[in-house]
Amino acid sequence: MKQTQQYLKAQNSIVPLFEPESLAVVGSFKEGRPGAYRVIKNLLAFGFPGKVYPVNPLYDTVFDRKVYPSIREVPQSIDLVVVITSAQVVPEIIGHCVEKKVKAAIIVSDGFAERDEQGARLQQEVVSIARSSGLRLLGPNTIGVVNPYVGLITSQYGVLYEKIHTGSIALCAQTGLIGPSTMPFEDMHYGISKICDFGNKCDIDEIDLLEYLGNDPKTKVIAMHLEDIRDGRSFLRKVKEVVSKKPVLILKPGRTEESRKALASHTGSLAGEDRIYDSAFKQAGVIRVSTYKELFDLAKIFAYQPLPAGNRVAIITMTGGGGVMGVDVAVESGLVPAELSPETIERLAEISPWLASNPVDLGPAAVVVDNFFSHYEEIVETVLKDRNVDCAAIVFSGVPRVLDYQIFARLKTKISKPVAFWIYGPKLSLAEEFARNLENHGFPAYPECEPAIKALGAAFQYSSIKSRFSQAEEKP
Amino acid sequence: MKQTQQYLKAQNSIVPLFEPESLAVVGSFKEGRPGAYRVIKNLLAFGFPGKVYPVNPLYDTVFDRKVYPSIREVPQSIDLVVVITSAQVVPEIIGHCVEKKVKAAIIVSDGFAERDEQGARLQQEVVSIARSSGLRLLGPNTIGVVNPYVGLITSQYGVLYEKIHTGSIALCAQTGLIGPSTMPFEDMHYGISKICDFGNKCDIDEIDLLEYLGNDPKTKVIAMHLEDIRDGRSFLRKVKEVVSKKPVLILKPGRTEESRKALASHTGSLAGEDRIYDSAFKQAGVIRVSTYKELFDLAKIFAYQPLPAGNRVAIITMTGGGGVMGVDVAVESGLVPAELSPETIERLAEISPWLASNPVDLGPAAVVVDNFFSHYEEIVETVLKDRNVDCAAIVFSGVPRVLDYQIFARLKTKISKPVAFWIYGPKLSLAEEFARNLENHGFPAYPECEPAIKALGAAFQYSSIKSRFSQAEEKP
């Protein structure tokens, strides 16, 4: 459904959305059903340290807590309200939030602009009520937010894991796909700083998130899925400002006319021509990704690794075939194969002449050199310390080996150039274990060649954007 | 290293390479080391029903079998010999094979053309000896072959699983990456008809494999990784002939000048300009893939599903955002979103008005319709039976649900249009279990959107190629 009225933006901070000291949940506390009951249960399981107030006139207690009949009856102040009721009563509840001087509300309820004209009018009514006081609104039709640093999770569904790891990747999406009940966050095992599902974006939008996450010390990289961008000019100004501080990755569907049609019926947004977005993103220094998976794959390298000084990549591989595939992806990702320095060539040739070129193919040397893997650490270190090498992709088989993970722990302390791993092997579980260990040591690991090399390409791309922006600043 | 001499092709059948009735293994039988010992051990574990003769003058017995001092001493005839010795003695052993009238030999040994000029000369010598009798050679420097239908596996390494599933996908590669000790075949859990690692390709090459696999009734789809193509003209003639019978997927690295340089040092092949390959592949009806992963991802749909009659795709999704992403990939893969027929629209709207367009987004309907998933089978069947729908992508969350796998078992019997699944979810293990069940019911399942939709695109691409070829044949 189309937005029927001009959108006017509130200016209050969205800090209470992610860092509330007190929180009320309005909805049904029926056990075992998705809804307010689950939100409270998740908050308790997650260890949210703030005050939590259940609100519903039909209940007395839930989880041994008093249930208040209305937000207005809660004696203390409330930073954030999570609303999971039928759409019809949302205006009244938001009215109560305004009276109570609540700072932000997450409207999880659906049945608004995403449904029909009547819902769109209801949504507009809710926005008008909130606007009168500066109350900020997320949603409607949203999973809400996650802030693992304070145990904040507003999902009305059960989550199958205990804890999302804390970390430095912020994820925002205009789809419930981002939710903790749909994404395998535990298996992904990298750390999250914040998660936000925009839902219908009646108020809080990508600009607010950029503003907040740009200043969030826990966030090193921002990964966004955006089906539409509400105010292109403000967005570009804001994103450029944020990009000068940290990388912004964006997946913007609607690359084809057909998907823009599907988008219009999904979100009510009239997405513009794709090439306009594309050139705007380029200008603003956004790293545009083309698949949902890539959004997460590329975010990892920024979370774990330093930026490269240049685009010269070394590939250290167990398989010649893998090295060749890697060079193709490297060049297509804006990298060039590094020309190893004479000193490196000489040192590697001492171990085995088969090592003395890039890609450094360990396969042939491994079969002719005795106890070859005792040289592994030295090979990797020699290559990475080469002045002609800016970054490296390491291809390795995830099977029980002579390799000690301490090699990578030491490497992390000795090397300040980005490294990404392609870990393959005959057993997924072993490869995943190897990958998890590498990531615990701060190295991003991927089960395929392409994302590993593309991640290095993205790191170089951002490194170039950053220096372009800082040069532009230096000019009078 | 460059090939130093003009290659002359033997013409004998390579059937004994994959279907030997008797087999000798020449090499070291030292326990616990990679080598001939492991080959015998793997063959026994795999249940190879043919005769197996260990050969080595230094041993008496291995696995309670007599070890023959030389191939010439084996009293019975031998179809296939696997050679895992130092390169220096390979010419002598191949000489014995010729005397013994062996039909094919797999030279696993390395140290030939992939190493240096001396190795290249040695390789040429071996080829000359074999050529005199028509003995066919695979390798050198190869993992060899796998034929799971007869328990044939020639890997000199331990394999971590009991059995590669039998099936209809043939895999050939010019890299050891294809080997059963490096690929997670058990986890991939789809069926394999044959595996072949070309190694140095001194004799048996892609044309032989196309000839053999084209006529192999167990093989429905051929997936090849080729670093070079030796005889372009013959290759194109042969591949065109095979493509008229079954799909051929090819990954050809060397898309960039830099990777062609790496290729030259890896295989000694001087790969031509990429655009020449690209246009030749197009002309011959080859489906060219761009990543190693895609080679396997796309092969699955041909193994499991019928070809579509057209390119109109329906997307049945749990998430509107996923549907929109799917449309982008669909259009980029040569598909168009299907316009559902009025009858389908009407039927779906009876269940819920939110269902009545493509992508069919179940999300909004699921929250307003009671016991919604009881309608799931009917929705999928209605959409797939629509005359305006040629194929479908189904997006589903892999969590315990009301869905019964029998729905998909029934669907398989009722529908003869290709369907691919994108299975996501909050736990990788659950999503993988769901995917495995779907694949056991004959539906390819992927953990991401793109490969699922691209697979449908490839199925349509091959369907068009096939009808183009048969129209060309019909012309006078």
Side-chain angles (χ1 to χ4, degrees):
Chain A
M1 299 300 132
K2 260 187 258 181
Q3 298 282 335
T4 48
Q5 210 176 312
Q6 184 54 40
Y7 163 83
L8 288 165
K9 194 137 180 50
Q11 294 299 328
N12 289 354
S13 157
I14 64 162
V15 169
L17 182 72
F18 289 104
E19 303 164 46
E21 288 178 9
S22 54
L23 177 159
V25 187
V26 192
S28 163
F29 295 103
K30 197 167 169 185
E31 222 176 304
R33 294 268 302 180
Y37 178 87
R38 261 292 174 196
V39 176
I40 307 268
K41 196 174 171 181
N42 288 335
L43 285 170
L44 295 177
F46 229 40
F48 177 68
K51 301 269 183 200
V52 177
Y53 305 107
V55 175
N56 187 318
L58 304 174
Y59 293 77
D60 290 326
T61 58
V62 62
F63 295 106
D64 294 330
R65 279 155 200 264
K66 179 176 162 57
V67 180
Y68 294 88
S70 148
I71 288 166
R72 293 176 301 185
E73 312 293 320
V74 175
Q76 291 81 8
S77 67
I78 304 171
D79 285 346
L80 176 66
V81 170
V82 182
V83 185
I84 317 177
T85 63
S86 71
Q88 285 68 35
V89 300
V90 172
E92 187 191 344
I93 293 163
I94 295 302
H96 295 171
C97 290
V98 167
E99 283 182 53
K100 184 70 188 167
K101 297 197 165 56
V102 168
K103 291 171 186 158
I106 299 174
I107 306 175
V108 176
S109 320
D110 50 29
F112 289 91
E114 86 286 358
R115 185 155 302 163
D116 51 19
E117 283 299 331
Q118 196 189 332
R121 280 193 299 273
L122 199 62
Q123 183 171 314
Q124 198 48 55
E125 187 188 337
V126 168
V127 171
S128 305
I129 296 166
R131 192 70 76 244
S132 66
S133 75
L135 167 70
R136 302 304 307 266
L137 300 177
L138 180 67
N141 187 29
T142 173
I143 305 282
V145 301
V146 179
N147 177 355
Y149 283 95
V150 298
L152 176 67
I153 176 164
T154 68
S155 173
Q156 63 164 324
Y157 301 102
V159 285
L160 293 175
Y161 49 81
E162 282 194 335
K163 223 168 172 21
I164 295 179
H165 308 288
T166 54
S168 57
I169 300 177
L171 302 170
C172 312
Q174 207 164 344
T175 167
L177 264 180
I178 201 75
S181 60
T182 47
M183 295 278 298
F185 286 112
E186 190 182 20
D187 298 305
M188 289 153 79
H189 66 73
Y190 53 69
I192 297 292
S193 65
K194 305 289 178 298
I195 298 174
C196 177
D197 168 16
F198 290 113
N200 290 7
K201 284 207 298 197
C202 79
D203 170 31
I204 290 170
D205 64 13
E206 54 279 4
I207 298 177
D208 295 298
L209 264 293
L210 284 170
E211 167 73 25
Y212 173 74
L213 297 170
N215 291 317
D216 177 26
K218 302 292 192 200
T219 297
K220 276 176 70 178
V221 50
I222 301 168
M224 280 193 170
H225 160 272
L226 290 176
E227 293 202 333
D228 62 359
I229 289 170
R230 191 168 279 138
D231 175 349
R233 205 176 292 263
S234 308
F235 173 80
L236 285 179
R237 200 164 39 227
K238 180 56 70 185
V239 83
K240 222 168 158 175
E241 180 191 314
V242 174
V243 164
S244 71
K245 293 186 280 188
K246 50 188 87 172
V248 177
L249 314 175
I250 295 182
L251 172 66
K252 170 74 191 68
R255 295 191 296 270
T256 61
E257 206 188 311
E258 291 84 348
S259 66
R260 287 195 290 277
K261 219 178 120 189
L263 260 177
S265 87
H266 177 223
T267 58
S269 60
L270 291 172
E273 282 283 332
D274 191 64
R275 60 189 167 76
I276 298 172
Y277 284 108
D278 210 55
S279 76
F281 286 160
K282 272 203 191 81
Q283 196 196 322
V286 164
I287 296 172
R288 188 175 187 179
V289 306
S290 57
T291 72
Y292 198 56
K293 177 174 179 282
E294 211 169 86
L295 200 55
F296 305 94
D297 281 345
L298 299 192
K300 279 205 289 196
I301 197 149
F302 295 106
Y304 285 131
Q305 292 283 296
L307 295 178
N311 67 345
R312 299 165 304 173
V313 64
I315 300 179
I316 302 169
T317 176
M318 289 300 297
T319 142
V324 172
M325 293 178 206
V327 173
D328 265 340
V329 186
V331 173
E332 289 162 355
S333 306
L335 302 173
V336 296
E339 293 274 357
L340 301 179
S341 70
E343 296 83 351
T344 300
I345 295 281
E346 194 180 327
R347 185 67 209 94
L348 294 176
E350 279 169 27
I351 300 168
S352 166
W354 309 114
L355 299 175
S357 64
N358 180 29
V360 182
D361 181 4
L362 310 189
V367 297
V368 292
V369 175
D370 280 338
N371 199 12
F372 177 74
F373 284 97
S374 66
H375 300 285
Y376 191 80
E377 184 170 5
E378 187 189 351
I379 293 168
V380 173
E381 199 180 329
T382 302
V383 171
L384 269 162
K385 285 194 170 162
D386 188 317
R387 64 178 181 277
N388 293 344
V389 170
D390 298 310
C391 59
I394 298 184
V395 186
F396 211 83
S397 174
V399 291
R401 281 264 181 198
V402 279
L403 283 195
D404 179 351
Y405 291 120
Q406 289 311 311
I407 291 179
F408 304 106
R410 286 191 293 270
L411 212 59
K412 184 77 179 177
T413 65
K414 287 186 279 191
I415 305 291
S416 56
K417 298 175 181 178
V419 181
F421 285 78
W422 167 21
I423 301 300
Y424 64 92
K427 262 298 209 197
L428 278 190
S429 55
L430 291 175
E432 279 163 12
E433 189 193 315
F434 196 126
R436 187 163 48 249
N437 268 294
L438 286 170
E439 298 203 339
N440 287 343
H441 285 103
F443 293 101
Y446 305 84
E448 299 125 32
C449 174
E450 290 69 26
I453 308 262
K454 276 190 179 175
L456 293 170
F460 170 66
Q461 190 186 340
Y462 179 63
S463 169
S464 315
I465 289 163
K466 222 179 157 182
S467 61
R468 194 179 82 207
F469 279 17
S470 64
Q471 277 162 10
E473 263 175 36
E474 280 163 20
K475 279 183 194 162
Chain B
M1 299 301 133
K2 259 186 257 183
Q3 298 282 333
T4 47
Q5 209 175 310
Q6 183 57 37
Y7 164 81
L8 286 166
K9 191 134 183 55
Q11 293 299 329
N12 289 356
S13 159
I14 64 161
V15 169
L17 183 71
F18 289 105
E19 304 164 45
E21 288 178 10
S22 53
L23 178 159
V25 187
V26 191
S28 163
F29 295 103
K30 196 165 169 188
E31 221 177 305
R33 291 268 303 181
Y37 178 87
R38 261 292 173 193
V39 176
I40 307 267
K41 195 172 172 182
N42 287 336
L43 286 169
L44 295 176
F46 230 39
F48 178 67
K51 301 269 184 202
V52 176
Y53 305 107
V55 175
N56 188 319
L58 303 175
Y59 292 78
D60 292 324
T61 57
V62 62
F63 295 108
D64 294 331
R65 281 154 198 265
K66 179 175 162 56
V67 179
Y68 294 89
S70 148
I71 287 165
R72 293 175 302 185
E73 312 293 321
V74 176
Q76 292 82 7
S77 68
I78 304 172
D79 285 345
L80 176 66
V81 171
V82 182
V83 185
I84 317 178
T85 63
S86 72
Q88 285 67 33
V89 300
V90 171
E92 186 190 345
I93 293 163
I94 295 301
H96 296 172
C97 290
V98 167
E99 284 183 52
K100 185 69 188 166
K101 298 199 166 51
V102 168
K103 292 171 185 156
I106 299 174
I107 306 173
V108 176
S109 319
D110 50 31
F112 290 91
E114 87 286 359
R115 185 154 305 163
D116 51 20
E117 283 298 331
Q118 194 189 331
R121 280 193 299 274
L122 199 64
Q123 182 171 314
Q124 198 48 53
E125 186 187 340
V126 168
V127 171
S128 308
I129 295 165
R131 189 71 74 245
S132 64
S133 74
L135 167 69
R136 302 303 308 267
L137 299 177
L138 180 68
N141 186 29
T142 173
I143 306 283
V145 301
V146 179
N147 177 357
Y149 283 94
V150 298
L152 175 66
I153 176 164
T154 67
S155 173
Q156 64 164 324
Y157 300 102
V159 286
L160 292 175
Y161 49 83
E162 282 195 334
K163 221 169 173 20
I164 295 179
H165 309 288
T166 55
S168 57
I169 300 176
L171 302 171
C172 312
Q174 206 165 344
T175 166
L177 264 180
I178 201 75
S181 60
T182 47
M183 295 275 302
F185 285 112
E186 190 182 22
D187 298 306
M188 289 154 81
H189 64 76
Y190 54 70
I192 298 292
S193 65
K194 306 288 178 295
I195 298 174
C196 178
D197 168 16
F198 291 113
N200 291 6
K201 286 207 297 197
C202 79
D203 171 29
I204 291 170
D205 64 12
E206 53 279 4
I207 298 177
D208 295 297
L209 264 293
L210 284 169
E211 168 72 24
Y212 173 75
L213 296 171
N215 292 318
D216 177 25
K218 301 291 192 201
T219 296
K220 278 176 71 177
V221 50
I222 300 167
M224 279 191 170
H225 160 271
L226 289 176
E227 293 202 333
D228 62 359
I229 288 170
R230 190 168 280 136
D231 175 350
R233 206 176 293 263
S234 308
F235 174 79
L236 285 179
R237 201 163 40 230
K238 180 54 71 185
V239 83
K240 222 169 158 173
E241 181 191 314
V242 174
V243 164
S244 70
K245 292 186 281 188
K246 51 188 86 173
V248 177
L249 314 176
I250 294 182
L251 172 66
K252 170 75 189 68
R255 295 191 296 272
T256 60
E257 205 189 311
E258 290 84 350
S259 66
R260 287 195 291 277
K261 217 178 121 189
L263 260 176
S265 87
H266 177 221
T267 58
S269 60
L270 291 173
E273 282 283 330
D274 191 64
R275 61 189 167 75
I276 298 172
Y277 284 108
D278 208 57
S279 76
F281 286 161
K282 271 202 191 80
Q283 197 196 321
V286 164
I287 296 172
R288 186 174 190 182
V289 306
S290 57
T291 73
Y292 199 56
K293 177 174 179 281
E294 211 169 85
L295 199 56
F296 305 93
D297 280 345
L298 299 192
K300 279 206 289 193
I301 197 147
F302 295 106
Y304 285 132
Q305 292 283 297
L307 295 178
N311 67 345
R312 299 164 303 174
V313 63
I315 300 177
I316 302 170
T317 175
M318 289 300 297
T319 141
V324 172
M325 293 178 207
V327 173
D328 266 338
V329 187
V331 173
E332 288 162 357
S333 306
L335 302 172
V336 296
E339 292 273 357
L340 301 180
S341 71
E343 297 84 349
T344 299
I345 295 281
E346 195 179 327
R347 184 67 210 93
L348 294 176
E350 279 170 25
I351 300 167
S352 166
W354 309 114
L355 300 174
S357 65
N358 181 29
V360 182
D361 181 4
L362 309 188
V367 295
V368 292
V369 175
D370 280 339
N371 199 11
F372 177 76
F373 285 96
S374 66
H375 300 284
Y376 191 80
E377 184 170 6
E378 186 189 352
I379 293 168
V380 172
E381 199 180 330
T382 303
V383 170
L384 270 162
K385 286 195 168 160
D386 189 317
R387 64 179 182 276
N388 294 343
V389 170
D390 297 310
C391 59
I394 298 184
V395 184
F396 210 83
S397 174
V399 291
R401 280 264 182 198
V402 280
L403 284 194
D404 179 353
Y405 291 120
Q406 289 309 313
I407 291 178
F408 304 106
R410 286 191 292 271
L411 211 61
K412 184 78 181 177
T413 66
K414 288 186 280 191
I415 305 290
S416 56
K417 298 175 181 178
V419 181
F421 285 77
W422 167 21
I423 301 299
Y424 64 92
K427 261 300 209 194
L428 277 189
S429 55
L430 292 174
E432 278 163 11
E433 188 193 315
F434 196 126
R436 186 161 51 249
N437 268 293
L438 286 169
E439 298 202 340
N440 287 343
H441 285 102
F443 293 101
Y446 305 85
E448 300 125 32
C449 174
E450 291 70 26
I453 308 261
K454 276 190 178 174
L456 293 169
F460 169 67
Q461 190 187 341
Y462 179 62
S463 170
S464 316
I465 289 164
K466 222 179 158 180
S467 62
R468 194 180 82 206
F469 279 17
S470 65
Q471 278 164 11
E473 262 174 37
E474 279 164 21
K475 279 183 194 160

